[in-house]
Amino acid sequence: MILPIYVYGQPVLRKVAADVDPHDESLTKLIADMFETMEVAQGVGLAAPQVGRSIRVVVIDLDVLREDFPEYKDFKRAFINPHIVEIDNNAPKESIEEGCLSIPGIHENVTRSTRIHVTYVDEQLMPHDEWVEGYLARVMQHEFDHLEGKMFVDKVTPFRKQLIKNKLKAMSQGKFECRYRTKPAHQ
C-alpha cells in the first residue's frame, strides 16, 4: 500500500524514533509498504517517521543507481533499529547535493563523512555491526538522521539556510507542489 509521505513541519519528523521489537509481525507489511511508497515517489531511502511512524525502521534501494554505481546492483535492504555508532572523522568528507521526499523541491549541498560504523537488524532478523563507506554511508546518514529528528536542511550552511527559509515556511503551511501522495503539516 502506498503511504502518504509526511512533509516538513510535521511534528513526527522532529521526534527521536524509538527502537522497535524486530519480531513484531507488523514490520513485514510496513517495510513492504515503505518500499512501495519510496518507489512511487522515486526515492532511494525512506525512514519510518517520513510515513508517520516514530520507530527505527529505514528502507534503502540503491539498485536504481547501478549504472553510476555498479556495486549497488540489486541493493535493496531494510534496516531495523539502525544506529550510527561512530562517524570516522579521519575519513574524507564529501559535499554532495541532497534532496528529501519530506522536503519536496529543495536540494542543497550537505557535507558528510564517507565512512561510518553502524549497527542494525536486517529483515531476516540477523544483527549487523559493520563499517560502511561511500555513497551508502551518505544515504544511511541521511536516513538515520530522520530517526534522530534531524533533516538535511539542518546541515546546510547558515547562508543557504537563510535563502531557503521562506520556502520551508511555505512548505510547513502546506504551500508546495508534489507529484506523490503527501501529508502536509497543516493537516
Side-chain angles (χ1 to χ4, degrees), residues 60-148:
I60 295 176
D61 184 351
L62 296 182
D63 183 62
V64 296
L65 305 173
R66 68 184 169 272
E67 287 186 26
D68 294 325
F69 299 97
E71 66 270 29
Y72 297 129
K73 183 179 185 314
D74 300 324
F75 186 99
K76 184 176 182 177
R77 293 190 197 153
F79 301 84
I80 301 166
N81 296 332
H83 291 273
I84 296 175
V85 177
E86 182 181 355
I87 294 176
D88 185 347
N89 290 319
N90 295 319
K93 307 261 187 283
E94 282 186 329
S95 184
I96 297 177
E97 187 176 85
E98 291 187 16
C100 180
L101 297 176
S102 290
I103 308 177
I106 295 178
H107 297 84
E108 293 291 332
N109 283 330
V110 176
T111 302
R112 297 191 189 268
S113 176
T114 57
R115 186 169 185 261
I116 58 173
H117 179 198
V118 297
T119 60
Y120 62 92
V121 175
D122 66 24
E123 284 183 271
Q124 288 72 44
L125 306 180
M126 297 296 299
H128 295 261
D129 183 335
E130 60 195 29
W131 284 92
V132 178
E133 298 183 9
Y135 194 73
L136 177 59
R138 169 172 293 277
V139 175
M140 283 180 155
Q141 288 172 83
H142 177 109
E143 297 307 329
F144 296 3
D145 274 354
H146 280 296
L147 306 177
E148 302 300 332

